Amino acid sequence: MTDSTRTRARGADKRRRLMAAAAQVLHEQGVERTTIADIAEAAGVPVGNVYYYFKTKDELVLAALSEHAGHLAELTAELDRLPDPRARLKAMVEAWVSRRDVAARYGCPTGTLAVELDKRAEGGLDVEAGRVVRLLLDWSERQFRELGLPDADDLALTFVGAYQGMSLLASALREPEIMSRQGARLTRWLDSLGDAPA
Amino acid sequence: MTDSTRTRARGADKRRRLMAAAAQVLHEQGVERTTIADIAEAAGVPVGNVYYYFKTKDELVLAALSEHAGHLAELTAELDRLPDPRARLKAMVEAWVSRRDVAARYGCPTGTLAVELDKRAEGGLDVEAGRVVRLLLDWSERQFRELGLPDADDLALTFVGAYQGMSLLASALREPEIMSRQGARLTRWLDSLGDAPA
Amino acid sequence: MTDSTRTRARGADKRRRLMAAAAQVLHEQGVERTTIADIAEAAGVPVGNVYYYFKTKDELVLAALSEHAGHLAELTAELDRLPDPRARLKAMVEAWVSRRDVAARYGCPTGTLAVELDKRAEGGLDVEAGRVVRLLLDWSERQFRELGLPDADDLALTFVGAYQGMSLLASALREPEIMSRQGARLTRWLDSLGDAPA
Amino acid sequence: MTDSTRTRARGADKRRRLMAAAAQVLHEQGVERTTIADIAEAAGVPVGNVYYYFKTKDELVLAALSEHAGHLAELTAELDRLPDPRARLKAMVEAWVSRRDVAARYGCPTGTLAVELDKRAEGGLDVEAGRVVRLLLDWSERQFRELGLPDADDLALTFVGAYQGMSLLASALREPEIMSRQGARLTRWLDSLGDAPA
DNA sequence: GATGAATGAGGCTTCATTCAT
DNA sequence: AATGAATGAAGCCTCATTCAT
């Protein structure tokens, strides 16, 4: 391994650590209340060095968004191995409910980020947040379409909206049980949706 | 009108203007990105004078929350004049949809405030935001209970959650139509709920 | 009693209350940490009204100084009724020790005021503080001179200096006993000073 | 000298400069009338940069106190090289008198700081000021004890109290001679104290 | 004379970003 | 690439003083 390779590897590692730290800390504290120093510390990187990897704070937010997108991609990839689209959707609900404690404390990472970023038009971060939200919508819509249901796009909005809504309420009221109970309702709803007529 | 009445009126007026300005600006820009100067300007009050009415920025946020609570109280008071609880709920949905443009730009005032305030434990503003959210939940629960439905509390969570979810998605995607379409679905869902068995 | 008399009486009363409040609050909190509002509140006078009686904060400080001077004048007038100058000095020490708790908390009113005012050349308040300090020095010197002792001025400096020193130490260490113990020493010292040679 | 050494040296140097500036400016102007900007300017440091070294103004005050404590430690270390405790005490008086001009203008640094800090209970700075005062008391007590005198603690209080008192009077009256004359008296008093009985 | 309200300067502190090495 | 230190623009808040009745 040459010096430059090792350096590149170490550099890439730092970058990855910064992204992960940004994703977590920004989720927990929100964008405005999080300082670059917070993220640097969480990543174990000296403050001054952050700017070598990310030119501005906005780029770190962007990185956090893409990190969340990555997590979602991993999850959907795994769920896509299930043969039945309905089972996939139900497994998604299960995944949400399993993270109920985090949701009840900090809300849905993507959703809360979107809420905060929507309040500023400049920088285009709001658009990027919308893009990540849409990833989940698109995946959901795909499942509903595979089920042969009409208005799959609306069903996806209802599905994801329910998740965002229960996360918001769970965190506003600090009650993880809201995730469990509303998750169960969501599952029942999925079951109640008729398959494509034969 | 006596002198003191006039003075008091002016003072109270300014206070009210500050509350209204705080409610609006904080909704549009978020808590952290809004400066006292922003609110002062929106209310037409010199910055230094704000502190005569509100000792801290947090008190202004609190005032905004109570302003939103007031708006909600007005709305529910009006809806309560309808004889049928189901009609009340449907009218609530209509009210939400009618404000679709604001929702698609800035989200639900109470919901987005709650999201932002939940990220800071200090000050108790998070609890206060939860309290306002609960006002709507309680009103909704009351309607479901009047309809004689079981699990009125869960139904309320579903109902309000759907609203929060569609608001979030509408604003994340900047599509007011999401409010209309999901509003229609919500109305249909309300219609589908059976009355109390005779 | 005419209206104007009553008004003047009420006005004079307010003025007196403000002076007393200024003397107390400025002693307890120091000049810089005391706001006009603090003094107004302590006096039970609306803030805006203070300026009718005192044009600036400095004038209030001046008033406090003269209040303290008044207290001292009262005390010395009383002590002067004692026939023996040594007895007068010893009674003065007793008076100091009797106020040991206040001294241990806030120091000597005049002394601490002088310390704070000496740090600013402008306004002449420092000079005024010195004048009040000198009142006590002059009285003491008179006693020593009546005792027929040489260097009465130096003895007065030693006497008053001892008082200022023990007050400072008592308050810095928060130990009222320092006043008692050093007061006893001071009394013994007074006793040890020979009378004028016959 | 390596790069990091140089950087560290520069950083440490700035810190030291800030401490020295804080000690001096706070002594001359008092805590409340001194702004961070004053200290920064005296140290030749940009205001914003001060916060890299001291997180709050209180920390700067603390630093000033420890600076004064350092000065005292240096002085006593030097005096401790004298074989005779009485000579040490007399040399201490000489040191005080030699700084009579500063004392007559701004008082004893530690004493005046203690006076001001005692007026605020919060932050614990008052306690810290007391601690520094006690350093001098403890050293003095040690000398009196070495002389074999009874009540060394009371003698120390008298000794240090006399110093604080004369400093206060000298600065209140703006007369450096007070330091000289009372210093001479203090020296004579030290001479008059009997040694331990053989 | 009395009083609540208004004003504006100034102080403390934070932090994104840049610099020097 | 790495890093401690530097910079300066805000932002929040306080308060002496003044104003308008």
Side-chain angles (χ1 to χ4, degrees):
Chain A
M1 193 189 252
T2 67
D3 265 17
S4 85
T5 311
R6 210 181 305 135
T7 298
R8 220 180 304 128
R10 249 192 295 130
D13 179 50
K14 262 192 190 172
R15 193 169 214 289
R16 234 175 279 126
R17 260 156 48 209
L18 280 167
M19 286 183 70
Q24 192 195 341
V25 179
L26 290 173
H27 177 210
E28 290 176 5
Q29 307 187 348
V31 174
E32 300 296 336
R33 292 180 75 83
T34 298
T35 70
I36 301 274
D38 287 338
I39 297 174
E41 193 188 17
V45 169
V47 195
N49 199 8
V50 172
Y51 282 83
Y52 181 77
Y53 298 96
F54 300 94
K55 262 190 280 297
T56 64
K57 188 180 179 181
D58 275 9
E59 280 192 16
L60 269 168
V61 177
L62 217 53
L65 280 171
S66 104
E67 185 83 354
H68 288 306
H71 291 162
L72 177 60
E74 281 174 33
L75 178 57
T76 53
E78 197 174 331
L79 298 189
D80 280 341
R81 292 202 297 239
L82 293 175
D84 179 31
R86 194 187 310 264
R88 289 182 210 134
L89 289 164
K90 284 163 80 171
M92 179 62 87
V93 175
E94 264 179 63
W96 291 338
V97 172
S98 75
R99 286 182 224 131
R100 81 188 81 98
D101 287 321
V102 175
R105 187 59 196 81
Y106 304 113
C108 162
T110 309
T112 57
L113 224 40
V115 164
E116 206 176 351
L117 294 175
D118 274 336
K119 311 234 155 172
R120 46 159 155 167
E122 355 87 46
L125 284 181
D126 54 339
V127 175
E128 195 55 31
R131 218 180 307 246
V132 179
V133 168
R134 213 183 291 267
L135 288 178
L136 179 55
L137 279 170
D138 288 344
W139 179 85
S140 306
E141 183 178 342
R142 227 147 40 226
Q143 312 311 314
F144 287 114
R145 190 167 298 129
E146 270 194 48
L147 279 174
L149 292 169
D151 301 321
D153 53 344
D154 279 344
L155 289 170
L157 284 170
T158 301
F159 183 66
V160 176
Y163 166 52
Q164 294 298 341
M166 72 177 77
S167 298
L168 191 153
L169 292 177
S171 81
L173 305 180
R174 293 280 152 78
E175 292 183 19
E177 280 68 45
I178 289 178
M179 295 299 290
S180 320
R181 275 152 51 199
Q182 292 293 308
R185 282 195 163 255
L186 204 48
T187 301
R188 252 178 287 144
W189 175 70
L190 287 172
D191 275 326
S192 77
L193 293 174
D195 284 275
Chain B
M1 193 187 251
T2 68
D3 271 13
S4 85
T5 311
R6 212 177 304 136
T7 297
R8 220 181 306 127
R10 232 191 317 124
D13 179 50
K14 241 184 197 176
R15 196 169 209 288
R16 237 177 276 125
R17 257 158 52 213
L18 280 167
M19 286 184 72
Q24 191 194 340
V25 180
L26 288 174
H27 177 208
E28 290 176 4
Q29 307 189 348
V31 174
E32 301 294 339
R33 291 181 74 84
T34 298
T35 69
I36 301 268
D38 289 338
I39 297 174
E41 195 186 14
V45 169
V47 194
N49 197 13
V50 172
Y51 287 88
Y52 185 80
Y53 296 95
F54 300 94
K55 267 188 274 297
T56 63
K57 187 180 178 181
D58 274 11
E59 278 192 18
L60 269 169
V61 177
L62 215 53
L65 280 171
S66 105
E67 186 83 353
H68 289 304
H71 292 161
L72 176 60
E74 281 175 33
L75 177 57
T76 54
E78 198 173 332
L79 298 189
D80 280 342
R81 292 203 296 236
L82 294 175
D84 178 32
R86 194 187 311 264
R88 287 180 211 136
L89 289 164
K90 286 162 79 171
M92 179 63 86
V93 175
E94 262 180 64
W96 291 339
V97 172
S98 76
R99 287 184 224 129
R100 82 188 80 99
D101 286 323
V102 175
R105 186 61 197 80
Y106 305 113
C108 162
T110 310
T112 56
L113 267 181
V115 164
E116 205 176 352
L117 295 176
D118 273 336
K119 310 234 155 173
R120 45 157 156 170
E122 353 88 50
L125 284 181
D126 54 340
V127 175
E128 196 55 31
R131 214 179 308 241
V132 179
V133 167
R134 214 183 289 267
L135 288 178
L136 179 55
L137 280 170
D138 288 345
W139 179 85
S140 306
E141 183 177 342
R142 227 148 37 227
Q143 312 312 313
F144 287 114
R145 190 168 296 128
E146 271 193 49
L147 280 173
L149 293 168
D151 302 320
D153 53 344
D154 279 342
L155 289 170
L157 283 170
T158 302
F159 182 67
V160 176
Y163 166 52
Q164 294 297 341
M166 71 177 78
S167 299
L168 191 153
L169 293 177
S171 80
L173 306 180
R174 294 280 152 77
E175 292 183 19
E177 277 64 46
I178 289 179
M179 296 298 291
S180 320
R181 273 150 53 198
Q182 291 294 307
R185 283 196 162 256
L186 204 47
T187 301
R188 253 177 288 144
W189 174 70
L190 288 171
D191 276 325
S192 77
L193 295 173
D195 284 275
Chain C
M1 192 187 254
T2 68
D3 265 15
S4 86
T5 312
R6 211 180 304 136
T7 297
R8 220 179 307 128
R10 248 192 295 129
D13 179 49
K14 263 191 190 174
R15 193 167 213 289
R16 235 175 279 125
R17 260 156 49 210
L18 280 168
M19 286 184 72
Q24 192 194 341
V25 180
L26 289 173
H27 178 210
E28 290 175 6
Q29 307 188 348
V31 174
E32 300 296 336
R33 293 181 73 85
T34 297
T35 69
I36 301 275
D38 287 338
I39 297 173
E41 193 189 17
V45 170
V47 195
N49 199 9
V50 172
Y51 283 83
Y52 181 77
Y53 298 96
F54 300 95
K55 263 189 278 299
T56 64
K57 188 179 179 181
D58 276 10
E59 279 191 16
L60 269 169
V61 177
L62 218 52
L65 280 171
S66 104
E67 186 83 354
H68 288 306
H71 291 162
L72 177 61
E74 281 174 32
L75 177 57
T76 54
E78 197 172 332
L79 298 189
D80 280 341
R81 292 202 297 237
L82 293 175
D84 178 31
R86 194 188 309 265
R88 288 181 211 134
L89 289 165
K90 286 163 78 171
M92 178 62 86
V93 174
E94 264 180 63
W96 291 339
V97 172
S98 74
R99 287 182 225 131
R100 81 188 81 99
D101 287 321
V102 175
R105 186 60 195 81
Y106 304 113
C108 161
T110 309
T112 58
L113 224 39
V115 164
E116 206 176 351
L117 295 175
D118 273 337
K119 311 233 156 173
R120 45 159 154 167
E122 354 86 48
L125 284 180
D126 53 339
V127 176
E128 195 55 31
R131 218 180 306 246
V132 179
V133 168
R134 213 183 290 267
L135 288 178
L136 179 55
L137 280 170
D138 289 344
W139 179 86
S140 306
E141 183 177 342
R142 224 147 41 226
Q143 312 312 312
F144 287 113
R145 189 167 299 128
E146 271 193 48
L147 279 174
L149 291 169
D151 301 320
D153 53 344
D154 279 344
L155 288 171
L157 284 169
T158 303
F159 183 66
V160 177
Y163 165 52
Q164 294 297 341
M166 71 177 79
S167 298
L168 191 153
L169 292 178
S171 81
L173 305 180
R174 292 279 150 78
E175 292 181 20
E177 280 67 45
I178 289 178
M179 295 299 291
S180 320
R181 273 150 54 199
Q182 292 294 308
R185 282 196 163 255
L186 204 48
T187 301
R188 251 177 288 144
W189 174 71
L190 287 171
D191 275 326
S192 77
L193 293 173
D195 284 275
Chain D
M1 193 188 251
T2 68
D3 271 12
S4 85
T5 311
R6 212 176 305 137
T7 297
R8 220 180 308 127
R10 229 186 323 120
D13 178 50
K14 240 182 197 176
R15 195 170 210 289
R16 236 177 278 125
R17 257 157 53 212
L18 280 167
M19 285 183 71
Q24 192 194 342
V25 180
L26 288 173
H27 177 209
E28 291 176 5
Q29 306 188 349
V31 174
E32 302 294 340
R33 291 181 73 83
T34 298
T35 70
I36 301 268
D38 289 339
I39 297 173
E41 195 187 14
V45 169
V47 194
N49 196 13
V50 172
Y51 286 86
Y52 185 79
Y53 297 95
F54 300 94
K55 266 188 274 296
T56 64
K57 186 180 178 181
D58 274 12
E59 278 192 17
L60 269 170
V61 177
L62 216 53
L65 280 172
S66 104
E67 186 83 353
H68 288 305
H71 291 161
L72 176 60
E74 280 175 33
L75 177 57
T76 54
E78 199 172 332
L79 299 189
D80 280 341
R81 291 202 297 236
L82 295 174
D84 178 33
R86 193 188 310 264
R88 288 181 212 136
L89 288 164
K90 287 163 78 172
M92 179 62 87
V93 175
E94 263 180 63
W96 291 339
V97 172
S98 76
R99 286 185 224 129
R100 83 189 79 99
D101 286 322
V102 175
R105 187 60 195 81
Y106 305 112
C108 162
T110 309
T112 56
L113 227 38
V115 164
E116 205 177 352
L117 294 176
D118 273 336
K119 310 234 156 173
R120 47 157 155 171
E122 353 89 48
L125 283 181
D126 54 339
V127 176
E128 196 56 31
R131 215 179 307 239
V132 179
V133 168
R134 214 183 288 268
L135 288 177
L136 179 54
L137 280 169
D138 288 344
W139 179 85
S140 306
E141 183 178 343
R142 231 154 28 233
Q143 312 313 314
F144 287 114
R145 190 168 297 128
E146 271 194 48
L147 280 174
L149 293 168
D151 301 320
D153 53 344
D154 279 343
L155 289 170
L157 284 169
T158 302
F159 183 67
V160 176
Y163 166 52
Q164 295 296 340
M166 72 177 76
S167 298
L168 192 153
L169 293 177
S171 80
L173 305 180
R174 293 280 153 77
E175 293 183 19
E177 277 63 48
I178 290 179
M179 295 299 290
S180 321
R181 273 150 52 199
Q182 291 294 307
R185 282 197 163 255
L186 204 46
T187 301
R188 252 176 288 143
W189 174 70
L190 288 171
D191 276 325
S192 77
L193 294 173
D195 285 275

